[in-house]
Amino acid sequence: MKGMTLIVKTVVRIMAGVIFIYGMYIILHGHLTPGGGFAGGAVIAGSLVLLVLAFGSDKLNLKLKEKGSAIFESLALLAFITLALIGFGIGMHVFFGNYLPKGEIGELISAGTIPLYNIAIGVEVAAALFTIFLALVIFKEEVKS
């Protein structure tokens, strides 16, 4: 897949970073405002997809990128399950137990383990959606050749 024009590449080069940071904001503030891990991860995946569409798949080593996103997806799942098991293992006897201090309501550092779950879910969703997109691009490239 070829890249797009210089104008599109320049705009995407600027906007992809802004979109990525906005996705991180949605993930980190998910326990305070509407949003969270899934919505923020989808926004982050959108920024990565935008980069691939603008610059094309010819210049990217897509097999390596797909492998990298699959590793991020697996690590995020492992972090999510580990957080849940820690709550079970430290004596609360509750899977997904909220074992960290809750903090003050409305502060960024509050809600115990919920922001950590949001981060793990955000990384998982972003990596999964980006992996699906790359798999479709690679499949399309293989069908062409």
Side-chain angles (χ1 to χ4, degrees), residues 63-136:
K63 289 184 180 182
L64 180 63
K65 297 290 182 185
E66 183 187 15
K67 184 186 266 183
S69 62
I71 289 172
F72 274 109
E73 184 182 356
S74 299
L75 288 175
L77 272 175
L78 184 65
F80 188 80
I81 291 171
T82 302
L83 285 170
L85 286 175
I86 288 173
F88 190 76
I90 63 170
M92 294 183 68
H93 303 293
V94 176
F95 201 56
F96 296 109
N98 197 349
Y99 49 87
L100 291 178
K102 309 297 185 288
E104 296 205 18
I105 295 175
E107 296 292 323
L108 182 60
I109 306 296
S110 64
T113 57
I114 293 173
L116 299 176
Y117 287 121
N118 275 338
I119 292 170
I121 291 170
V123 171
E124 160 60 24
V125 168
L129 291 178
F130 190 55
T131 301
I132 290 169
F133 173 75
L134 289 179
L136 291 174

Side-chain angles (χ1 to χ4, degrees), residues 3 8-9 19-20 25 28 42 55 82-83 99 122-124 127 138:
V8 173
K9 289 178 182 175
I19 294 170
F20 190 90
Y25 173 84
L28 293 177
F55 291 94
T82 302
L83 285 170
Y99 49 87
V123 171
E124 160 60 24
I138 291 170

Side-chain angles (χ1 to χ4, degrees), residues 19-78:
I19 294 170
F20 190 90
I21 290 172
Y22 183 65
M24 290 177 46
Y25 173 84
I26 291 173
I27 290 172
L28 293 177
H29 290 81
H31 61 291
L32 300 173
T33 60
F38 190 88
V43 170
I44 289 174
S47 72
L48 299 174
V49 167
L50 196 61
L51 284 170
V52 172
L53 289 175
F55 291 94
S57 62
D58 294 341
K59 295 184 179 178
L60 303 172
N61 189 0
L62 284 183
K63 289 184 180 182
L64 180 63
K65 297 290 182 185
E66 183 187 15
K67 184 186 266 183
S69 62
I71 289 172
F72 274 109
E73 184 182 356
S74 299
L75 288 175
L77 272 175
L78 184 65

